[in-house]
Amino acid sequence: MRYVRAVIAESTESRGFRRLLGEPGWQGLLKLGSPRSYEPGDRLLHQGQQGSEVLALVSGRVAVVLRKENGERMMLALRGAGDLVGEYAAPTREGRIADVVAVDRCRTSVVLWPVMEHYLNKTGCALLLNGYVRSKSYQSAHRMDRKNLPTECQIARFLLELAELADASLPAPEQVPFPQSEIGPLLNMARSTVMANIKSLKAMGALRGRQNELFIGNKAVLRSAAGV
C-alpha cells in the first residue's frame, strides 16, 4: 500500500519537473520557449513524428495515448501542469512513441531540446531530468500492473489521478473531462463494464452527475474505492 501511495503522490501532487527544478528554475525554463495553446482533443505531439521539441505544461492536463495497428488506443499516462512531454524522443529526434492529446485547454512553453539541454547543464540540473525520466518510466510500468486489479479499482484510480492533476486554471476542476463512452477505450474496457462500475461509484457517493457530465463527488470515498 505504501508503494501505491508513493506512485500516486509522485505522479500527481509533486507536479513533476516543476517541483524538481524549483519555481525559479521552472520559470527560467519557460522563458526559453515559445508559448503555445491547445484546445481539448488537440494533439500536442504525434506518434511516429520526429522532432526536437519539448513541451513544458503550464496549465491543463494531457493524455499520452498509444495508437495500435488495429486502430485501438491505449492510454499510457496522464500528465498535468508542471510536467514535461516529448523529452524521451527529443534528444535523439527519434519518432514519438505515442500521441499526446489535450484533455483540457492547455498552455505550454515549447522549448527546443538543444536550448533546454544547455540550460539544464548551465544550472546544474541535468541529473534532475534523468531522475524525472526514470520516475515516469516507473509510473508507466506501474500503470500496466493495474490491469490485474478489479475493474472498479482501475476506474477509480484513473478518475482519482485526473482529479489530482487538475489545476487552478480549470473552470470546474471536479468535473471528469471524459464522457463514459470515452473511458472504456482508454482503459481497454467494454462500455458496459465502465457503465456498471460508474453506477456503483455513484451509489457510493464517489461520483455524481449524468452519463456525459460526471463530477467527483466525495474524494475520500473515491480514494477508498481506488485502494489508496
Side-chain angles (χ1 to χ4, degrees):
M1 190 65 70
R2 289 179 182 175
Y3 164 72
V4 172
R5 288 196 183 102
V7 171
I8 290 288
E10 176 65 27
S11 63
T12 58
E13 296 171 6
S14 70
R15 289 297 187 263
F17 200 53
R18 179 177 184 173
R19 180 171 180 265
L20 293 176
L21 275 185
E23 198 59 29
W26 176 253
Q27 293 301 325
L29 176 62
L30 297 183
K31 291 177 182 177
L32 297 175
S34 302
R36 192 178 298 173
S37 297
Y38 300 87
E39 297 299 322
D42 287 350
R43 279 194 286 181
L44 287 69
L45 298 173
H46 297 250
Q47 182 174 326
Q49 186 180 60
Q50 296 178 327
S52 61
E53 297 177 336
V54 178
L55 278 64
L57 296 174
V58 179
S59 64
R61 296 166 290 188
V62 300
V64 182
V65 181
L66 175 68
R67 286 183 284 114
K68 298 181 180 181
E69 292 183 359
N70 61 5
E72 292 181 355
R73 298 181 301 159
M74 175 188 296
M75 190 182 66
L76 302 180
L78 290 168
R79 303 293 174 210
D83 271 315
L84 301 177
V85 290
E87 79 284 0
Y88 282 110
T92 59
R93 294 201 176 189
E94 295 179 352
R96 310 287 187 184
I97 61 172
D99 289 333
V100 177
V101 183
V103 173
D104 314 292
R105 189 174 192 277
C106 296
R107 291 189 299 118
T108 70
S109 180
V110 183
V111 187
L112 292 176
W113 169 252
V115 175
M116 179 174 172
E117 182 181 36
H118 176 73
Y119 175 74
L120 294 178
N121 286 331
K122 182 179 71 172
T123 56
C125 296
L127 291 179
L128 294 180
L129 179 62
N130 293 336
Y132 174 70
V133 170
R134 286 197 300 271
S135 175
K136 287 173 74 172
S137 298
Y138 188 64
Q139 293 162 23
S140 296
H142 174 67
R143 179 179 289 277
M144 298 304 294
D145 291 341
R146 293 184 187 181
K147 295 184 180 297
N148 298 322
L149 298 172
T151 54
E152 182 179 278
C153 185
Q154 292 182 51
I155 294 170
R157 290 192 183 187
F158 168 67
L159 297 174
L160 180 61
E161 191 173 4
L162 279 169
E164 296 289 358
L165 285 171
D167 62 74
S169 72
L170 302 177
E174 74 281 4
Q175 184 170 6
V176 177
F178 299 107
Q180 289 187 36
S181 58
E182 293 184 16
I183 294 175
L186 287 174
L187 299 182
N188 287 323
M189 292 182 185
R191 183 177 180 180
S192 58
T193 299
V194 172
M195 291 179 66
N197 284 278
I198 291 293
K199 183 177 180 180
S200 175
L201 289 169
K202 283 183 180 179
M204 296 178 191
L207 296 176
R208 58 184 175 82
R210 295 169 293 181
Q211 179 176 350
N212 289 321
E213 196 175 43
L214 291 173
F215 296 84
I216 303 298
N218 188 314
K219 191 178 286 189
V221 176
L222 183 61
R223 285 185 179 276
S224 178
V228 296

